C-alpha cells in the first residue's frame, strides 16, 4: 500500500472516531435536545440539568472510553511488533491482571488514595508481571515462542486474579470492585482524566516514535542489527510503555482483555507491517472500538448499566480462537 493510501486510511479512522464520539455523546438513557447538547459543549450552564448530563457524565465517559481503548490497542500493537507474536496482548499475558491485583490491594489497604496514587500502584503491578513473564522467557530455551508466551501469561494471570478475588472477599470489596472488574466506564471522572492525561500523552508520543525501530525488529534480529537497529533496547522501551499504558487503562476501567488482541491484526491486514502507520492506526482503532462498545452496552437496557467489557468479550473470544487456529497452537 502506498504512503498516500496509508495516510488516507488514518484520516478515515479519525473521521470514524469523531463520528462515534458525537454519536455516543448525544445519545443515552435521557434524551437531550440538540440545543442543550451544543450549549453544554460551548456555553455550559451549570444550572441546566440536561447540560450537566452532557458535560459531567457523558463527556468524561466517552473521552475515557477512547483513552482506554487506545491504550489497550496501542500496547497490543507494541507487544506484537517486538515479539513477532499475533497473540501478544496485555490482557492475555497477565499484565492487566497484575495491575488489577495492585488496584485491589490499594482498595483494601489504601481506600482514600488519590487518582495518581492509584495509577502508581497499578503501574507497579503491571511492571511486576511484565518482568515475570518476559524474565521467564529470557531464560527459556525456546525464546519468545508463542505457546510459551501465552502459557506463561495465562499462568501469571490466573494466579494474580485468584489473589485479587481473595482480597475482594476478605475485605468485603464486592460492591466496590464488581463493576470495575468486568470493565465499566460509568465511573470515569474529570479528575481521573486530568491526572492521567499528561502521562498518557507522553506514553503515546514515545510509542509513536518507536514505529521505525519496531518495524525493523519485526523483520528479524539479524535484519534489525544489519540496518542499524537496537532490538534489545527497543524491546525494553516497548515493554515499559506497555506497562504504563496498561496501568492507565486498568486504573480507569479494570482488566479488560481482547482489545489489544483484536485491533492490531486487523490494522496490519490493511496497512501491512510498517509500524509507523500501524501504531497510530491501532491507537485510533482501539479508541473507536471501546467508544462504540461502551455506547452499545449502555443502550442495551437503559437506564441500567452493562459493562462494555462484556461486549468486548463476546467479540474477543471467537477472535482469539480464530487466531489460535491460525497459529496452529
Amino acid at each position: 500500500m502506498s504512503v498516500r493510501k496509508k495516510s488516507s486510511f488514518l484520516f478515515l479512522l479519525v473521521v470514524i472516531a469523531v463520528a462515534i464520539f458525537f454519536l455516543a455523546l448525544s445519545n443515552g438513557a435521557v434524551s437531550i435536545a440538540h440545543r442543550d447538547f451544543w450549549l453544554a459543549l460551548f456555553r455550559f450552564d451549570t444550572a441546566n440539568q440536561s447540560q450537566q448530563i452532557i458535560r459531567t457524565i457523558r463527556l468524561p465517559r466517552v473521552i475515557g472510553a477512547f483513552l482506554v481503548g487506545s491504550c489497550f490497542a496501542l500496547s497490543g500493537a507494541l507487544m506484537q511488533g517486538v515479539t513477532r507474536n499475533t497473540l501478544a496482548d496485555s490482557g492475555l499475558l497477565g499484565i492487566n491482571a497484575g495491575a488489577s491485583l495492585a488496584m485491589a490491594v490499594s482498595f483494601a489497604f489504601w481506600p482514600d488514595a488519590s487518582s495518581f496514587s492509584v495509577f502508581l500502584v497499578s503501574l507497579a503491578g503491571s511492571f511486576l508481571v511484565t518482568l515475570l513473564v518476559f524474565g521467564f522467557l529470557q531464560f527459556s530455551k525456546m525464546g519468545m515462542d508463542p505457546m510459551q508466551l501465552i502459557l506463561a501469561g495465562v499462568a501469571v494471570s490466573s494466579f494474580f486474579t485468584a489473589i485479587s478475588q481473595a482480597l475482594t472477599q476478605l475485605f468485603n470489596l464486592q460492591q466496590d470492585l464488581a463493576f470495575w472488574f468486568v470493565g465499566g466506564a460509568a465511573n470515569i471522572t474529570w479528575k481521573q482524566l486530568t491526572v492521567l492525561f499528561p502521562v498518557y500523552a507522553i506514553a503515546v508520543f514515545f510509542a509513536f516514535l518507536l514505529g521505525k525501530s519496531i518495524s525493523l525488529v519485526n523483520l528479524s534480529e539479524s535484519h534489525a542489527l544489519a540496518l542499524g537497529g537496537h532490538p534489545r533496547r527497543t524491546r525494553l522501551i516497548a515493554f515499559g510503555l506497555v506497562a504504563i499504558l496498561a496501568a492507565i487503562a486498568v486504573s480507569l476501567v479494570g482488566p479488560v482483555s481482547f482489545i489489544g488482541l483484536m485491533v492490531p491484526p486487523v490494522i496490519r491486514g490493511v496497512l501491512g507491517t510498517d509500524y509507523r502507520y500501524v501504531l497510530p492506526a491501532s491507537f485510533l482503532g482501539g479508541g473507536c472500538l471501546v467508544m462504540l462498545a461502551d455506547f452499545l452496552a449502555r443502550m442495551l437496557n437503559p437506564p441500567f448499566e452493562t459493562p462494555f467489557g462484556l461486549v468486548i468479550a463476546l467479540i474477543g473470544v471467537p477472535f482469539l480462537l480464530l487466531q489460535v487456529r491460525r497459529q496452529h497452537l
Side-chain angles (χ1 to χ4, degrees), residues 19-51:
I20 296 174
F21 176 83
F22 282 106
L23 174 68
L25 194 60
S26 59
N27 292 277
V30 178
S31 298
I32 305 292
H34 290 294
R35 182 174 182 274
D36 285 332
F37 173 77
W38 292 109
L39 287 174
L41 296 179
F42 300 108
R43 295 180 62 184
F44 179 49
D45 179 6
T46 56
N48 188 303
Q49 188 176 7
S50 295
Q51 293 184 32

Side-chain angles (χ1 to χ4, degrees), residues 1 12 51 81 107 196 202 208 243 261 274:
M1 182 180 285
L12 176 62
Q51 293 184 32
F107 277 116
L196 294 178
I202 293 170
F208 287 172
L261 179 72
D274 187 347

